Amino acid sequence: MFGYMDPMYLMLVIFSMVLGGLTQSYIKSTYNKWSKVRSGLGSTGADVARRMLDQNGANACGIGRVGGQLTDHYDPRDNCLHLSDENYSGGSVASVAVACHEAGHAVQTAKGYVFGQIRTALVPVVNFAQSTWIIVFFAGAMMGLVGLVQLAIILFAFSVVFQLVTLPVEIDASRRAVRYLAESGSGIDQQGAKQVLTAAALTYVAAALVSIANLAYLMARSSSRR
């Protein structure tokens, strides 16, 4: 079976674990560092995000709370920022940076950002592909049906495409946040936002690299078994 006691697969697992661990550690340490620095704007993350939304044509977007730490996200389905308690009510540079990053996604929606539209359109396809590809893959591998294995790889490839499309979406949202803070905040806000959001972006880069590596492995193993 694919991956069973395969040295290449074990290396891929180790690579994924190490890369994921390093990026998560980096973003947490960077966030913790700037969560101790007060924003020069003197407002909470929710307040600053609200002003950014209103000034960039996304005034219809709502802002709510979500549990957990660094669980902040923008949901285009309800056009609402969901900020963790710390970033909603906190006034640190880190809180403001994360809140403005999520506001950047809402601004993308308001302005019809192309990559954001593509990403949203891919969501139902990717959800289906992610829930079915592994079943199809193992069924094909166990029954020796190359066609099913290839179909599974195609389904998995949608996840890779989704990861690649996500990169410009996240980078653009961070760019919008940093630009807003540079224009409206102080130098410390711009500096901190760049560091916090760069660290966050690395998690998406790492996820894309892992997905590409997995796809390359699956394709290589499929070719070798034909």
Side-chain angles (χ1 to χ4, degrees):
M1 189 177 294
F2 280 78
Y4 182 69
M5 296 302 290
D6 183 344
M8 185 182 297
Y9 180 74
L10 294 177
M11 288 178 62
L12 181 58
V13 170
I14 293 172
F15 167 75
S16 302
M17 292 177 63
V18 171
L19 187 59
L22 288 175
T23 53
Q24 286 300 316
S25 177
Y26 182 55
I27 187 175
K28 287 181 179 179
S29 64
T30 304
Y31 178 86
N32 289 337
K33 170 188 173 181
W34 288 101
S35 66
K36 298 178 175 65
V37 180
R38 187 72 182 173
S39 167
L41 291 166
S43 301
T44 66
D47 288 338
V48 178
R50 180 75 270 161
R51 293 199 293 268
M52 179 178 169
L53 291 169
D54 293 345
Q55 293 175 27
N56 288 275
N59 52 301
C61 179
I63 303 178
R65 295 175 182 264
V66 65
Q69 184 181 42
L70 293 178
T71 49
D72 312 80
H73 63 282
Y74 165 71
D75 191 337
R77 293 171 298 181
D78 60 5
N79 193 28
C80 184
L81 308 188
H82 299 271
L83 303 179
S84 60
D85 288 334
E86 186 173 2
N87 294 329
Y88 184 98
S89 57
S92 69
V93 171
S95 294
V96 168
V98 173
C100 286
H101 170 84
E102 300 307 332
H105 286 305
V107 174
Q108 289 174 338
T109 298
K111 294 185 179 297
Y113 180 63
V114 175
F115 281 105
Q117 292 178 331
I118 295 173
R119 185 181 186 277
T120 299
L122 283 173
V123 169
V125 178
V126 172
N127 287 341
F128 171 77
Q130 288 181 334
S131 63
T132 58
W133 83 269
I134 192 67
I135 299 173
V136 176
F137 179 80
F138 278 113
M142 292 177 68
M143 293 185 291
L145 299 177
V146 176
L148 279 182
V149 171
Q150 292 176 334
L151 175 60
I153 293 174
I154 292 172
L155 290 172
F156 182 78
F158 279 106
S159 296
V160 178
V161 172
F162 184 77
Q163 294 282 0
L164 294 176
V165 171
T166 294
L167 287 178
V169 174
E170 295 299 328
I171 292 171
D172 179 75
S174 293
R175 180 186 61 81
R176 293 175 190 268
V178 172
R179 184 175 62 190
Y180 176 77
L181 292 173
E183 295 171 351
S184 306
S186 64
I188 196 69
D189 291 294
Q190 180 183 11
Q191 178 187 355
K194 281 184 178 180
Q195 292 189 21
V196 171
L197 298 180
T198 297
L202 290 177
T203 64
Y204 293 99
V205 173
L209 288 175
V210 169
S211 294
I212 292 171
N214 274 285
L215 179 60
Y217 169 79
L218 291 173
M219 293 175 67
R221 294 294 288 138
S222 175
S223 297
S224 68
R225 288 172 64 91
R226 285 181 201 174

